[in-house]
Amino acid sequence: MSAYAEVILPLPLYSTFTYAIPQEMAEDTRVGSRVLVQFGRRKFYTGIVAAIHADAPEGYEVKPLTALLDPTPIVRYPQLKLWQWMADYYLCSPGDVYKAAVPAGLKPESETYLSLNPDYDLDELFSGLNEREAEIIRIMTSEKKITLQEIEKRSGIKNAPAILRPLMEGNVVEVSETVVERYRPKIERMVRLTVPRDDQDALHALFDLVSRSRRQEQALVAYLDLSKWLNPMAKLQEVRRQALLDKAGITPGILKAMQDKGIFEVYKKSINRFQDMPESTRPPMELSEIQREALAGIRRSFRDNPICLLHGVTGSGKTEIYTHLIREVLDAGRQVLYLVPEISLTTQLTDRLRRVFSDRLLVYHSKFSDNERTDVWKRLLHGNEPMIVLGARSAVFLPFAQLGLVIVDEEHESSYKQYDPAPRYNARDTALMLASMHGANTLLGSATPAIETYYKATTGKYGLVTLDRRHNDALLPDIEIIDMKDQRKRKENTGIFSSPLRLATEEALASGRQALMFQNRRGFAPFVICRNCGWTPRCANCDVSLVYHKHSDMLRCHYCGYAVMLPPVCPACGENSIDIQGYGTERIAEEVHERFPQYRVGRMDLDTTRNKDAYQEIIEDFSSHNMDILVGTQMVTKGLDFEKVTVVGVLNADSLLNFPDFRSDERAFNMLSQVAGRAGRHADKGRVFIQTNDPASKVLDFVRRHDYPGFYADEIESRRQLQYPPFTRIINIFIKNKESHACDEAALLLATHLRSTFGERVLGPQKPLVSRVNTYYLQCIMLKVEATASMIKVKRILRTIYESLARDQRIKSSTIYYDVDPV
Ligand code: ADP
Ligand code: ZN
Ligand code: ZN
């Protein structure tokens, strides 16, 4: 009986692909196995086996799997179930999910390299090959590694994979070479003495050997020190070669000389990439009475309901409560996933959690290199021991076993949602599904829960535990709303600062405290305009104006990265009359620096955190008070804990307040409450200044009074009236085309078809706020269905409509994609 594999390929196609499993691979090919397959005539992909069956497909000839890439599966069965759920729920292909889920190191594609196994003796090998095999091997001997495509090109052989397959099976040809190359555990060179530690005489002999060279003697002493050789109470420490060079202040030449004399020997050690572990761990901090009650409340809640919302004001000690829960779950032998919305948060939390959990803690997010991510993946795949994974949204894809608890911190954050590319998933909701597949509990934590979440928590769908006081009775900060129109009228403001904010900042800095300034725009100046003719620079690829970045003296598009030099004169009228207006973080930082020249100013935004370490450096600098004022975008609003911050300034709240979208009030309330929550978290009371031209705004009043319940009551009522989530569910359908006209036509046609089924539930098409991105025109159709409707049915209908239209010329040229539950 022959067997077939359904293989998920990294392609945006809505199905898996069937391949025959060759006899010799039958035993080891399993669900979750990684395989190399030929797709089309020329391409090769690494895919994942999603199912194995005996039904021969009809109507076409199935190709065999080309090779099995690992001895055992690399994806666990529950992961595949989650992928399938995501593809169904978010209306994308399993291949889209696969691409997002698996680190690149584990999925070489068409350009996959092949190489000959060096263990084979070539002469012997050739004697056993047929002509075409020999031809391929001959080509391969001339290259260290070569792609399949290249082999076909040079040999002129059309079906090289078929010929190569037995060679791969016999391990004559290796494909996993690429993987080994992309995924390579870090190797460190280490040094040790050649004599045993307990042999005093031998050590003296070594000192005799170096007695004529002061540097060699220094090296020896440095080694003894680093290794704790002479301390009988201490375990002998391994010493890195580089550490020895640094400590002794010697050149590699001197070390080499000592190796030649037989004093040192250098050896290689494969180390994992995880940070140095603390020598010992310590228990989590003792909880306060109120926190203990909250913890007990959560445990009670989990008895009846696997999902619980912890609604705790900023600084109430949610993180400490999580730590206690995590320890319980690890002690019970199960794993924990701890999700945070922003990579910058993992930095601060890593230290806090490492102290308690040591090497039980793994960290995972997209700023890690591919090697590091592959490391974490493999650790979880090959071990079932209790681990806690701290990560940003992509951590939901890891191969967990025995997951017992999922924590989604700052669950309201919109950064849990991936906008582009597919899968356009919300990591919070995906984590809830992941937890339920594992029978694990989920704790959602927030000071400002998402409206949908709070609705579920107050209508009995989730458990709810509230913490309304800060730890140690630290007070919530005083929030002042500053009327900037009034400030200008009275000429009180200086540049970006209202006088109250300026005075409070001066005072705080003078008394050794720190200040945080929040501006929700990066770059130097968001508006560039010609005073003479009104020209403004626009992106060549997108329907947005360009933002001026002073450091690089460039105009940049924040959507596609397009950049041009700032022209010296207006390109439209030729006058020297270009003005830059408005404030981004870069310019704010500059002004803050001018205003407070004796203090150190730092900046945290997308531009200053391009690499992983930058986050850590900025946060550490600010935490350790190497910096007095930090200017930042929303990156600084989320959950960071700085001890000495007593003043927070929101330089301009207006752009937050005036966003044309049903979530804008929620977003503004959350962001402002969160940024305010960074102030006065410890002993000193904090002060927050929100500068605005609209001081009467209702949202600002709720923020000022720290009134989440009031805000919620108001907001849920308006959602009910306007029939927005949680009372409905939204699916946005996007149509994308390089031709404006074709885009509009396809959108209209699609909307008409949708209306014939969904009627009034279809809104649009409408151009989105930014109607052209990266050379594509966009149209959006909103589908708003009752919360009680069957989403499975809705999605099935959507697919049917799409498939019935897919061949229509007017639709075919456009790309259509879905954004389910947009935030
Ligand atoms: P949240 O996550 O709710 O914003 P955190 O857990 O960050 O609050 O706590 C705020 C601050 O108070 C932190 O610096 C934390 O270390 C401290 N803290 C909270 N609970 C305790 C406790 N039980 N013992 C000592 N310090 C605590
Ligand atoms: Zn001009
Ligand atoms: Zn652009």
Side-chain angles (χ1 to χ4, degrees), residues 78-83 85 432-440:
Q79 282 178 286
L80 286 172
K81 272 188 18 197
L82 187 73
W83 292 9
W85 173 82
L432 284 167
M433 182 47 67
L434 174 75
S436 96
M437 284 175 172
H438 281 265

Side-chain angles (χ1 to χ4, degrees), residues 216-349:
Q216 293 193 5
E217 202 174 80
Q218 276 168 0
L220 194 49
V221 171
Y223 175 82
L224 296 178
D225 196 19
L226 286 171
S227 65
K228 308 210 164 119
W229 185 281
L230 298 174
N231 177 353
M233 306 299 286
K235 194 169 146 242
L236 189 67
Q237 302 291 310
E238 287 188 281
V239 174
R240 287 185 306 117
R241 177 175 168 277
Q242 192 57 46
L244 180 66
L245 296 179
D246 293 346
K247 168 124 186 158
I250 57 165
T251 60
I254 291 175
L255 181 62
K256 183 75 184 32
M258 295 175 79
Q259 276 170 260
D260 293 345
K261 280 193 193 171
I263 299 171
F264 282 125
E265 97 195 343
V266 171
Y267 61 103
K268 285 187 184 149
K269 186 180 175 205
S270 146
I271 57 163
N272 66 32
R273 284 162 206 282
F274 309 111
Q275 281 154 283
D276 294 335
M277 297 300 153
E279 292 240 315
S280 60
T281 59
R282 64 168 189 239
M285 290 194 220
E286 189 143 345
L287 294 184
S288 70
E289 181 68 40
I290 312 175
Q291 290 168 339
R292 265 204 305 279
E293 265 165 40
L295 180 59
I298 295 167
R299 284 201 206 100
R300 247 192 327 272
S301 169
F302 279 153
R303 264 179 241 142
D304 312 324
N305 189 329
I307 306 172
C308 179
L309 168 66
L310 174 59
H311 178 210
V313 295
T314 54
S316 55
K318 294 187 289 297
T319 315
E320 298 303 330
I321 292 176
Y322 302 156
T323 309
H324 281 260
L325 269 179
I326 293 166
R327 196 176 56 162
E328 286 174 19
V329 175
L330 294 180
D331 286 349
R334 300 185 74 179
Q335 296 181 334
V336 178
L337 168 63
Y338 185 157
L339 283 181
V340 290
E342 189 81 41
I343 292 166
S344 58
L345 280 174
T346 60
T347 329
Q348 225 183 25
L349 280 172

Side-chain angles (χ1 to χ4, degrees), residues 24-202:
E24 41 322 339
M25 287 159 79
E27 197 171 325
D28 292 332
T29 303
R30 271 179 264 149
V31 169
S33 286
R34 197 161 60 114
V35 290
L36 186 73
V37 297
Q38 185 178 11
F39 184 80
R41 285 216 346 97
R42 301 226 142 258
K43 288 222 179 280
F44 294 91
Y45 289 109
T46 308
I48 302 290
V49 176
I52 294 174
H53 57 81
D55 312 327
E58 281 169 30
Y60 63 95
E61 200 194 328
V62 266
K63 294 197 183 88
L65 299 175
T66 303
L68 188 64
L69 294 177
D70 324 87
T72 53
I74 66 141
V75 177
R76 291 178 189 266
Y77 185 65
Q79 282 178 286
L80 286 172
K81 272 188 18 197
L82 187 73
W83 292 9
Q84 191 55 53
W85 173 82
M86 287 181 82
D88 291 343
Y89 189 86
Y90 291 108
L91 290 161
C92 61
S93 79
D96 288 328
V97 184
Y98 163 47
K99 274 202 288 189
V102 177
L106 290 172
K107 47 178 194 217
E109 290 190 16
S110 202
E111 47 316 342
T112 295
Y113 284 100
L114 300 176
S115 58
L116 285 179
N117 184 340
D119 297 342
Y120 276 85
D121 177 65
L122 279 182
D123 293 334
E124 200 178 307
L125 182 62
F126 274 115
S127 65
L129 298 180
N130 68 34
E131 198 177 310
R132 290 198 301 174
E133 287 171 340
E135 172 62 19
I136 287 179
I137 296 296
R138 248 190 306 278
I139 291 170
M140 293 188 69
T141 49
S142 62
E143 303 288 335
K144 240 178 106 182
K145 50 184 194 173
I146 185 168
T147 64
L148 278 158
Q149 261 126 325
E150 193 60 27
I151 293 178
E152 290 198 329
K153 209 169 99 193
R154 290 204 210 165
S155 64
I157 294 173
K158 286 279 168 290
N159 56 342
I163 299 166
L164 275 163
R165 197 159 43 78
L167 296 172
M168 290 174 177
E169 289 305 322
N171 277 328
V172 178
V173 171
E174 296 180 321
V175 264
S176 51
E177 183 69 4
T178 336
V179 181
V180 173
E181 194 159 272
R182 286 202 202 170
Y183 163 73
R184 181 179 285 153
K186 198 168 164 191
I187 304 285
E188 281 270 23
R189 283 195 284 170
M190 315 293 287
V191 193
R192 64 184 164 219
L193 286 183
T194 50
V195 303
R197 191 185 187 186
D198 51 15
D199 189 343
Q200 291 294 330
D201 294 340

Side-chain angles (χ1 to χ4, degrees), residues 659-716:
F659 209 77
D661 141 4
F662 78 94
R663 283 191 202 276
S664 78
D665 283 358
E666 178 181 8
R667 209 178 295 126
F669 180 86
N670 289 349
M671 213 179 271
L672 293 169
S673 305
Q674 291 289 340
V675 68
R678 299 314 109 213
R681 291 166 64 84
H682 295 260
D684 312 300
K685 184 160 182 174
R687 294 180 72 189
V688 179
F689 300 86
I690 300 180
Q691 305 187 152
T692 175
N693 288 310
D694 182 14
S697 147
K698 202 163 63 173
V699 175
L700 290 183
D701 198 46
F702 286 124
V703 172
R704 189 180 59 76
R705 292 189 279 112
H706 303 284
D707 186 8
Y708 179 83
F711 171 72
Y712 172 78
D714 189 69
E715 182 66 20
I716 196 79

Side-chain angles (χ1 to χ4, degrees), residues 68 118 240 349 373 402 421 428 453 515 542 693 730 733 795:
L68 188 64
R240 287 185 306 117
L349 280 172
R373 296 206 288 160
Q402 309 279 344
R428 174 195 61 202
T453 304
C542 310
N693 288 310
I730 292 178
I733 303 159
K795 285 167 186 168

